[in-house]
Amino acid sequence: KSGLDPGGAWHAWGMACLKAGNLSSAREKFNRCLKPPMDLNQLNHGSRLVQDVIQYLESTVKPILIADDDYFATLRELEATLRTRSLSLEMMCEGKIQHNSYYQECLFYLHSYGTNLAIISFYMRHDCMREALLHLLNKESPSEVFIEGIFIPSYESGKLHMLENLLETIDPGLESWGVYLIAACKYLQRKNYYHILYELQQFMKDHVRAAMTCIRFFTHGAKSYTELGGKQTWLLKIKDHLKVYLQEVSRNSGRKKMAFTFRKKMSATDVSRHINTVDLQMEVTKFLHRCESSGTSQMTGSSLPTLFGNNNMKMDVACKVMLEGKNIEEGFGIAFRVLQDFQLEATEVYSKVAKQLVKQQKYSEIRQLLKCVNESGVAAKNDGDNIILNCLNECKSIPAEDLDNLIQDMDSDENKIQAYVMCNKLRSAYLVSVRQEKTRAVQLVQHVRQLAESSRDDVVKAICTQWL
């Protein structure tokens, strides 16, 4: 008569029937006020009314004590035991309720009015992980339901191995679980739970991704190569994963269709290249670890470069190796291999090293660098000259004698003239200019005279004018 929503009254009536143990009558009353969710895959446990019903039914079911432990039960527990036994509510030893009308009643309400997440969470609460997984598969629920309802509760309660065993039992190839496992990996990565991630990747036999996680374990948080020296076991693990992957690829290459679609794939060539990178990183680590331990290390940077970074970082590794040894020659071999293996801009790296040596005032080491570059066998004609030209921007800080020695080491007269001009040594530029073939000499001397005029160097200007 008053036009009020009767839902609340039906719900209260249904709850009263439940409490009185009249289950069939309760179903009829709840049928008038409960509705199934619009989307079964929504990430919640359904309406509050359904949750109240489930909560009450679950609180009615008490675990039955094992006979041996009955001596230790309190009177209240014994009373509850007797009451629930009289209702023929028994629990299997695994924790699953058997022949239990209240348990079946929960499932009726969940399947009629609950979401997939609510059903799966119910199974998980009652240690029915297998049923939860089968429900997930049958309903083709999205990966969010798996994460929320099964995966998070499993690792939080220390049951990750149990989950892995069940996944394998239901589908030994794990193909049915591919989408869910990849989603779990992404979730763990977002949360920075890398140890659980690594364990899961090993279970998935996803060797390429497991190797990538090992790279993270090796590099993350290290402030020095002394620290990296203590983490070298991760490099061995990376190699192991990649080798196992190569074996699997060669085993499956004869088959028509390659299995393991959800596992990360990589060509055999790329895998071999990565194994070489790991080998080279081990050499770099041992070398720089030794340098730091012996105290020859001088470079300090905010980030620690490794060969697992981008090309700029790899170039930093090559520089670091050359600069941190007792001398340039000691680390040049490893640095040269880094430059060759990754096809890096060698001249850019050598110039960077030369500039660093200027800052450290190690001018004789620059000459040793040039010697190593020339003897490497792959240096272009002007490489040595370009290295010197690139570090002459710092010429003001280089003592005159060392500066002259460096310029004298250059191969091309044209480059020597350019170097002298850069350092404002116009008289020296003039002396090299006049030694050239006559037509070219005239052009060069005219250029030097022009520069002398601009810088008001009357002496050099007069010499140039007289020669011309």
Side-chain angles (χ1 to χ4, degrees), residues 80-281:
T81 302
L82 291 168
R83 185 171 63 81
T84 49
R85 273 194 181 139
S86 67
L87 290 167
S88 78
L89 307 179
E90 297 173 10
M91 291 188 75
M92 291 164 65
C93 52
E94 303 91 355
K96 296 177 184 177
I97 309 163
Q98 194 182 35
H99 310 310
N100 176 353
S101 51
Y102 278 69
Y103 175 78
Q104 296 306 325
E105 209 61 20
C106 282
L107 286 176
F108 166 77
Y109 286 107
L110 285 167
H111 282 286
S112 304
Y113 310 110
T115 59
N116 284 326
L117 180 59
I119 297 165
I120 285 167
S121 298
F122 174 79
Y123 282 134
M124 290 295 286
R125 277 199 303 280
H126 294 281
D127 293 330
C128 302
M129 195 186 281
R130 183 188 173 82
E131 285 76 2
L133 287 167
L134 290 171
H135 183 84
L136 180 88
L137 268 192
N138 293 336
K139 299 295 177 185
E140 296 179 350
S141 293
S143 49
E144 291 82 7
V145 174
F146 170 73
I147 302 287
E148 201 73 33
I150 299 174
F151 186 70
I152 295 174
S154 294
Y155 79 71
E156 282 183 347
S157 58
K159 291 179 181 171
L160 191 57
H161 284 298
M162 188 196 292
L163 171 62
E164 290 172 352
N165 290 338
L166 277 170
L167 293 175
E168 215 162 21
T169 308
I170 294 168
D171 178 3
L174 299 178
E175 281 302 313
S176 326
W177 307 114
V179 177
Y180 299 118
L181 289 168
I182 294 295
C185 289
K186 286 179 180 171
Y187 167 80
L188 292 169
Q189 203 166 356
R190 277 199 308 276
K191 289 282 186 180
N192 288 332
Y193 296 161
Y194 283 95
H195 288 280
I196 304 174
L197 173 65
Y198 182 52
E199 188 185 324
L200 190 62
Q201 287 167 337
Q202 288 180 94
F203 160 72
M204 290 159 65
K205 296 183 175 62
D206 194 347
H207 294 292
V208 175
R209 287 193 179 97
M212 290 158 76
T213 305
C214 290
I215 290 173
R216 203 240 178 216
F217 284 133
F218 174 71
T219 55
H220 185 68
K223 297 282 188 288
S224 70
Y225 262 88
T226 306
E227 279 181 54
L228 287 184
K231 289 178 158 192
Q232 287 186 76
T233 46
W234 288 114
L235 293 176
L236 296 171
K237 285 184 180 178
I238 297 167
K239 271 183 79 171
D240 289 343
H241 284 299
L242 295 176
K243 282 177 179 175
V244 172
Y245 178 77
L246 272 183
Q247 286 164 6
E248 285 181 2
V249 169
S250 60
R251 259 206 311 274
N252 293 319
S253 58
R255 298 177 191 175
K256 285 181 183 176
K257 187 186 174 190
M258 174 114 175
F260 315 138
T261 49
F262 66 91
R263 297 175 179 97
K264 190 167 178 65
K265 291 187 180 63
M266 197 179 271
S267 71
T269 318
D270 282 347
V271 174
S272 301
R273 204 179 68 240
H274 286 306
I275 290 173
N276 289 338
T277 301
V278 174
D279 285 333
L280 196 48
Q281 180 63 54

Side-chain angles (χ1 to χ4, degrees), residues 37-57:
M38 298 286 285
D39 175 16
L40 289 172
N41 287 320
Q42 61 197 42
L43 287 180
N44 59 43
H45 291 262
S47 73
R48 185 68 254 172
L49 301 180
V50 178
Q51 289 179 54
D52 288 346
V53 173
I54 302 301
Q55 210 170 342
Y56 172 74
L57 287 168

